[in-house]
Amino acid sequence: MKRTIVALLCASMVLTGFSGATVWAQESKNVAVQEETNQEAANSVTTDTEEGSQNTTQDPSQTSGQDQNTGDTQGSGQDQTTGENQETGKDQTSGGNAGNADASQTTGTEFTEDKDGNQTGEEGQTPETQDAKEEIAVAAEGASIRYQAHVQTYGWIKEVKDGKEEGTTGQSKRVESMKINVDSAVDGNVEYRAFIQEVGWTDWKSNGAEVGTTGQSKRLEALQVRLTGKLAEQYDVYYSVHAQTYGWLDWAKNGDTSGTVGLDKRLESVKIVLVAKGGQAPGATTTPKKIQDSIVYKSHVQTYGWQDWAANGALSGTTGLSKRVESLQIGVRSETDGGISFRAHVQGNGWTDWNNQNYGSVGTVGQSKRLEAIQLKLTGDLEQKYDVYYRVHCQTYGWLDWAKNGEMAGTSGYAKRIESIQIQLVPKGGAAPGATTRPSRELKGVSYDVYVEGKGWVQAENGAEAGTTGEGKRMEALRMYVGDGTYTGSIQYQTYVQTYGWRNLATAGNVSGAENSGKRMEALKINLTGELAKHYDVYYQVHVQTIGWLDWAKNGEVAGTYGQSKRIESIRVKLVAKGEAAPGSTNVPSYARNVSLTTFVQGVGWMKADGNGFSGTTGQSRRIEAFKLSVTDDRFKGGVKYQAYTQGTGWNTETGNGAEAGSANSGKRVEAIKLSLTDELAQHYHIYYRVYVQTYGWLGWAADGTEAGTAGLGKRVEMIQVLVIPKVLPAPGVLRDAYRGNAYGVDVSAYNGNVIWSSVKNAGNEFAMLRITTRNNQVDATFEQNYNQAIANGVRVGVYKYGYATTVAQAKAEAQSVIRTLNGRKLSFPVAYDVEDATQQVLGKEKLTQIIDAFQKEIENAGYKFMIYSNTNWLNNYIDMNHYADEDVWVARYRSFGLGHGYAGKGNVTIWQFTSKGSVPGISGYVDRNVAYKLY
């Protein structure tokens, strides 16, 4: 029930000591009237409910309960343009410039701007012309307060003062920003701050500075105003806001909160007035605010991006979808001073710095990095009022227990993604929302999971056994994690698996091996990286079928056996600080052949090979001058023999079993090597080797006594790799392009006339490439004679076919003409397809690739070696050499021999045609001359 108190103004002024400072005047009345219910503008009334004053609009134009633009029912709490529920705190626009008048929201109103840039409209529809039922005037001996609001849709509206309403009511428009000024001869200022959607409390502003945002569609939700200096001694400042759902709240004063916090309600209008110090309030002061302290948060999730806000223990993220949380944004909504501070452990980055910004974010976006752990803590007075609890749903482990007040929630060192999070405020000292026993898993040391036959994944840490003994069960796969909370770095591991051999190198959290494949793991290697490798050694030992526990290996050495068909059954791994003793004997970590390689390196001396059989250097331009090699296996007789090709000497006398090949400290480079096993070792193993050569880098693999390196090119060997592998297992790579030497040769056709091949051979030419068929796929007139005479004189022979094909069918026909002509005859060198004709230049790489592929397939199906011939222009621009990266190439480039061919693209250059104007005994006129880096 409304109660009206009527009093004589003069009596009130005498009794309260107003000294004429404040007068309330209803528009059409001459007496002062104060109503407890504080009528709203635009004919609205308020009704008291248990939840606060509920604003009910009685504008005849809206009696249907629908907003004028959307047709959605206002009673459902929906805003005008989005149709979203007001109770969720979502305002009517999702973006765009709130300062622009939206015709779809203001049907029937035409807006103009006055000379000050303020928007006005007809028919009394703008905030400036709304007829407020209650107007408060102040005459405070020269003190007056004025204020201006930036309102959704309308932008900055006309400034008002001394208790007049600024904003809108009944239109569901948010106030987005405010400016407040005080005019007084008394020293002092007005200060104010606002609680902003997704921002929280701002810093204090003063004297007309803007508080809030524009152009961001963010609502003000609450306001605090206070006076300073002499002004605060003489006056109280009162202020009241019209809040979404609740209508006009009661008056707050002198820095108290007016509005809502934690309820997602927009501030729609405001009134501010100065009252003489201690004077009567302008209205009721019982309920100036609606406060619900809360914590809100949202997750940026793999694939889905930013999710909606969650609050007060609700789930943010996903479960059961294997999606990582990549970033978190967190805010605290409270009237209490203080905020939230948080940090995260990010994949590859470690712990971030603490973020102390309310509604700040932590993590990454667009980098595909998972959050692995989180820490949260409250600050300021909030820390004394609440505990903040939080827990995460982690990959593999599911929901961990609740952490609180800065404790870690999640994992560190296990490479596990956070998939979801819950955060909740609990009154200080109150009961936790759930179990708190184990909110995190932080690795201190090394953890390892092994996949065991019939059991699945088995986990152990820091030297404990993972696997089985005495049960005859094989290990099939391995997954590892490492961390010490101090140093950066990771762990790498590689497994040798039955049938497959060495698997790809794996890093922390990834699987090496072949889980659930039925294939046994036979050997493994483990090493650390980064700072961890500088401060720790990683030791590991394996339990092997019929042998038992072998000794400890470390830092990339082989543990176990390979080539002996023995399964690993269990494993132990341990980190040991650098300089400390090994956890046990290190004499025999692997039970297999023993390969010992050392090289004498320029400026370094003797260098022992690492666990992968490498010895020497790369990228340092250092020559190997000599090497020593020994190979033993306790089960078999035999050893190794080898030769070195050295600068100025050529092939040295063969030696073996640890003796020196080459000449240490001689200043002479090794240019090529040959290695082979002897006796029983040769029956059970292949010896594979390759060399890293000046200019060329790694050449291909050689095996069992074939040459690896170069001869006659003046190129130093800089590194050697040697592997001894059982014959039942595949080679470590393709056995080709291991050796390059200066073998000279020619290419000829009918154009060169009658060739005297004995003279060609005697002039030092080791090979010849013969044209086999012509444009019409007819046999070259001199092919048969050239083929027979070249072979008869010891010249190695290959053939070439100049291509004219523009279709796959034509390419096949060209290939078949070659095959028919050869009629099963053997070739030492390949069949080269000459691709450079103008008719093919316009085909494009894709079509040309189809043509070359068709020719190659026919040739290889007939049992001949294929290669591509072309010039550098075509190789670089017209032929898709990425497609032919593994094929041999005969490159044509005419320039000084000392410059080399200069082609740096894909493919293996094995022949260089360096001139078309060569002169060779036995051939009349000019002839094409070539150098082969490989003798087929």
Side-chain angles (χ1 to χ4, degrees):
M1 175 182 291
K2 294 183 179 180
R3 296 195 303 268
T4 306
I5 302 172
V6 181
L8 293 175
L9 177 59
C10 59
S12 174
M13 292 166 59
V14 170
L15 292 173
T16 61
F18 272 31
S19 301
T22 308
V23 176
W24 294 275
Q26 199 170 14
E27 285 182 343
S28 61
K29 303 296 183 182
N30 294 321
V31 294
V33 179
Q34 180 180 357
E35 297 180 349
E36 285 185 358
T37 55
N38 292 322
Q39 286 185 319
E40 289 183 30
N43 297 319
S44 62
V45 298
T46 58
T47 58
D48 291 334
T49 68
E50 291 182 0
E51 298 177 353
S53 298
Q54 180 65 41
N55 191 25
T56 306
T57 301
Q58 294 183 340
D59 188 333
S61 67
Q62 299 184 8
T63 55
S64 67
Q66 292 181 327
D67 286 346
Q68 55 189 357
N69 297 319
T70 66
D72 293 330
T73 302
Q74 278 191 339
S76 68
Q78 290 179 327
D79 290 342
Q80 289 177 243
T81 60
T82 64
E84 295 180 293
N85 194 300
Q86 289 188 12
E87 299 303 320
T88 67
K90 294 181 180 177
D91 288 340
Q92 58 194 70
T93 61
S94 60
N97 193 333
N100 295 329
D102 187 342
S104 67
Q105 296 175 330
T106 57
T107 304
T109 302
E110 180 179 353
F111 292 96
T112 61
E113 290 189 355
D114 63 17
K115 63 183 178 63
D116 295 320
N118 296 314
Q119 292 178 327
T120 61
E122 297 179 357
E123 304 300 332
Q125 296 301 305
T126 62
E128 290 88 337
T129 60
Q130 289 189 12
D131 187 14
K133 288 300 182 183
E134 181 181 43
E135 179 179 303
I136 300 173
V138 64
E141 296 182 353
S144 178
I145 193 161
R146 49 191 171 86
Y147 38 100
Q148 187 179 16
H150 188 282
V151 177
Q152 174 188 356
T153 303
Y154 304 129
W156 287 106
I157 62 176
K158 186 176 180 180
E159 183 182 73
V160 300
K161 65 180 181 177
D162 300 334
K164 289 185 178 181
E165 179 183 341
E166 176 75 339
T168 66
T169 58
Q171 298 186 44
S172 301
K173 302 288 186 187
R174 62 182 171 266
V175 171
E176 298 179 337
S177 192
M178 291 283 300
K179 299 175 185 176
I180 306 175
N181 274 292
V182 66
D183 299 319
S184 175
V186 180
D187 288 339
N189 296 315
V190 62
E191 295 182 337
Y192 43 96
R193 66 174 183 163
F195 191 92
I196 303 175
Q197 173 190 354
E198 297 182 9
V199 176
W201 286 108
T202 67
D203 294 333
W204 288 93
K205 308 291 184 180
S206 63
N207 296 335
E210 181 181 345
V211 62
T213 64
T214 58
Q216 298 184 39
S217 301
K218 293 185 182 295
R219 62 183 172 264
L220 298 193
E221 298 179 4
L223 190 66
Q224 294 176 340
V225 186
R226 67 189 183 190
L227 302 175
T228 66
K230 294 291 185 181
L231 200 61
E233 297 176 8
Q234 297 185 29
Y235 296 98
D236 294 316
V237 59
Y238 282 88
Y239 39 99
S240 174
V241 304
H242 188 281
Q244 174 189 353
T245 304
Y246 302 116
W248 284 107
L249 298 176
D250 293 341
W251 292 84
K253 77 170 183 177
N254 298 345
D256 289 338
T257 299
S258 178
T260 67
V261 174
L263 297 172
D264 297 319
K265 303 298 183 184
R266 63 181 168 269
L267 188 156
E268 298 178 343
S269 192
V270 64
K271 295 182 285 191
I272 311 174
V273 66
L274 297 180
V275 173
K277 197 68 176 183
Q280 184 177 350
T285 60
T286 306
T287 310
K289 59 192 175 186
K290 298 286 185 179
I291 304 294
Q292 179 179 302
D293 287 349
S294 61
I295 189 163
V296 294
Y297 42 97
K298 64 178 179 178
S299 304
H300 189 279
V301 177
Q302 173 188 356
T303 305
Y304 305 129
W306 283 110
Q307 295 193 317
D308 291 335
W309 288 99
N312 301 327
L315 182 150
S316 179
T318 64
T319 59
L321 299 177
S322 300
K323 300 293 185 184
R324 63 183 170 265
V325 172
E326 298 177 341
S327 185
L328 282 171
Q329 188 174 359
I330 307 173
V332 173
R333 303 186 300 190
S334 176
E335 183 185 30
T336 306
D337 286 338
I340 184 81
S341 183
F342 50 99
R343 67 173 183 161
H345 193 278
V346 180
Q347 172 189 354
N349 297 344
W351 284 105
T352 66
D353 293 333
W354 287 93
N355 189 329
N356 300 311
Q357 180 184 359
N358 203 22
Y359 288 95
S361 62
V362 67
T364 64
V365 173
Q367 299 183 39
S368 300
K369 291 182 179 289
R370 63 182 172 265
L371 296 192
E372 299 178 357
I374 188 80
Q375 292 176 298
L376 311 178
K377 58 186 178 183
L378 300 174
T379 62
D381 293 341
L382 274 174
E383 184 181 11
Q384 307 305 316
K385 187 176 181 181
Y386 294 105
D387 295 314
V388 58
Y389 281 87
Y390 42 98
R391 68 170 183 166
V392 297
H393 188 281
C394 283
Q395 173 188 356
T396 304
Y397 303 124
W399 284 110
L400 299 180
D401 292 340
W402 291 87
K404 75 170 183 177
N405 300 343
E407 296 174 347
M408 188 178 93
T411 66
S412 176
Y414 291 99
K416 303 294 185 184
R417 63 182 171 266
I418 290 178
E419 299 178 344
S420 191
I421 188 169
Q422 294 173 296
I423 310 175
Q424 189 169 335
L425 297 181
V426 173
K428 199 69 177 180
T436 59
T437 305
R438 194 172 186 185
S440 64
R441 296 192 178 192
E442 186 172 13
L443 180 59
K444 297 290 188 180
V446 61
S447 173
Y448 36 100
D449 306 335
V450 299
Y451 192 90
V452 178
E453 171 191 358
K455 292 180 179 289
W457 288 103
V458 178
Q459 184 183 33
E461 294 182 359
N462 298 326
E465 179 183 341
T468 63
T469 57
E471 298 182 35
K473 294 188 178 297
R474 64 181 171 267
M475 271 176 49
E476 296 181 358
L478 174 66
R479 181 171 59 210
M480 305 189 73
Y481 311 92
V482 69
D484 75 338
T486 301
Y487 302 114
T488 61
S490 189
I491 194 165
Q492 296 177 328
Y493 40 99
Q494 191 174 16
T495 56
Y496 189 96
V497 178
Q498 172 189 356
T499 305
Y500 305 132
W502 285 108
R503 307 295 279 172
N504 290 337
L505 191 69
T507 55
N510 296 305
V511 173
S512 179
E515 68 179 279
N516 203 27
S517 65
K519 302 293 184 182
R520 64 182 171 267
M521 188 189 302
E522 298 179 2
L524 56 87
K525 296 181 284 189
I526 305 172
N527 64 277
L528 302 173
T529 66
E531 292 180 351
L532 285 172
K534 297 177 181 178
H535 293 86
Y536 294 99
D537 294 314
V538 58
Y539 284 88
Y540 43 99
Q541 67 172 164
V542 296
H543 189 279
V544 177
Q545 171 190 357
T546 71
I547 299 173
W549 286 104
L550 295 179
D551 292 338
W552 292 86
K554 76 169 184 177
N555 300 344
E557 296 174 348
V558 175
T561 68
Y562 49 99
Q564 300 187 45
S565 302
K566 294 186 182 295
R567 64 180 171 265
I568 292 178
E569 299 176 340
S570 194
I571 184 176
R572 297 172 180 147
V573 187
K574 192 172 184 180
L575 297 188
V576 175
K578 286 287 187 184
E580 294 188 5
S585 172
T586 59
N587 292 327
V588 187
S590 60
Y591 186 78
R593 60 221 166 271
N594 181 34
V595 180
S596 177
L597 170 67
T598 57
T599 57
F600 189 90
V601 177
Q602 171 192 357
V604 177
W606 288 105
M607 294 182 64
K608 187 175 181 180
D610 65 11
N612 294 314
F614 293 101
S615 183
T617 63
T618 61
Q620 299 182 38
S621 301
R622 296 180 185 275
R623 65 182 171 267
I624 289 177
E625 298 180 0
F627 69 93
K628 301 175 184 178
L629 177 64
S630 64
V631 180
T632 60
D633 188 310
D634 293 343
R635 300 170 299 165
F636 306 120
K637 296 179 181 179
V640 63
K641 58 183 180 179
Y642 41 88
Q643 283 181 276
Y645 186 103
T646 57
Q647 173 186 356
T649 302
W651 288 108
N652 296 175
T653 303
E654 185 176 75
T655 187
N657 298 326
E660 179 179 325
S663 181
N665 272 323
S666 66
K668 303 290 186 180
R669 61 183 172 264
V670 170
E671 298 180 359
I673 63 172
K674 293 189 288 187
L675 317 177
S676 58
L677 299 174
T678 64
D679 298 330
E680 291 179 350
L681 282 178
Q683 299 172 23
H684 292 88
Y685 295 106
H686 290 298
I687 184 167
Y688 297 100
Y689 44 98
R690 61 175 181 161
V691 295
Y692 188 95
V693 176
Q694 173 189 355
T695 306
Y696 304 127
W698 283 110
L699 300 184
W701 287 96
D704 301 330
T706 59
E707 298 94 341
T710 66
L713 300 179
K715 304 295 183 184
R716 63 181 170 267
V717 171
E718 298 177 358
M719 179 174 274
I720 301 172
Q721 184 182 14
V722 179
L723 296 176
V724 178
I725 296 178
K727 288 190 172 182
V728 296
L729 297 176
V734 178
L735 299 179
R736 67 181 182 190
D737 194 29
Y739 179 76
R740 298 183 182 185
N742 277 355
Y744 293 94
V746 296
D747 60 90
V748 297
S749 69
Y751 294 113
N752 297 104
N754 185 45
V755 177
I756 309 301
W757 287 100
S758 58
S759 299
V760 172
K761 173 65 174 178
N762 291 336
N765 292 282
E766 298 293 331
F767 71 97
M769 299 296 288
L770 312 178
R771 186 174 74 162
I772 188 166
T773 61
T774 65
R775 183 187 188 100
N776 297 318
N777 293 331
Q778 300 299 311
V779 179
D780 181 281
T782 59
F783 172 73
E784 294 293 342
Q785 177 181 326
N786 285 335
Y787 178 88
N788 293 327
Q789 291 298 314
I791 290 177
N793 284 278
V795 177
R796 304 185 190 197
V797 170
V799 300
Y800 70 91
K801 168 65 180 173
Y802 189 101
Y804 297 94
T806 57
T807 68
V808 168
Q810 291 172 356
K812 290 182 177 179
E814 289 181 338
Q816 286 300 322
S817 74
V818 172
I819 295 167
R820 284 195 308 272
T821 303
L822 288 173
N823 194 27
R825 285 179 285 190
K826 293 182 179 180
L827 294 174
S828 299
F829 271 56
V831 175
Y833 194 34
D834 187 343
V835 184
E836 59 181 343
D837 193 76
T839 59
Q840 299 172 327
Q841 188 172 3
V842 297
L843 298 178
K845 286 187 177 181
E846 182 176 354
K847 183 66 178 293
L848 190 55
T849 296
Q850 295 172 2
I851 289 170
I852 298 171
D853 282 352
F855 185 95
Q856 178 181 2
K857 184 176 180 181
E858 296 293 318
I859 294 299
E860 290 181 343
N861 285 345
Y864 295 104
K865 170 67 178 173
F866 166 83
M867 76 185 312
I868 293 174
Y869 169 100
S870 197
N871 57 65
T872 54
N873 179 41
W874 273 70
L875 293 173
N876 287 324
N877 299 302
Y878 299 104
I879 302 173
D880 183 4
M881 290 308 297
N882 286 322
H883 184 76
Y884 300 105
D886 295 325
E887 302 302 330
D888 286 356
V889 176
W890 178 10
V891 61
R893 191 175 191 185
Y894 305 148
R895 63 178 186 173
S896 172
F897 187 87
L899 296 175
H901 59 76
Y903 172 66
K906 298 294 179 65
N908 304 312
V909 176
T910 58
I911 306 176
W912 172 30
Q913 186 184 83
F914 58 89
T915 183
S916 61
K917 295 183 177 181
S919 178
V920 173
I923 302 176
S924 300
Y926 290 142
V927 65
D928 295 339
R929 295 201 63 199
N930 303 270
V931 60
Y933 305 118
K934 174 180 181 179
L935 290 176
Y936 290 90

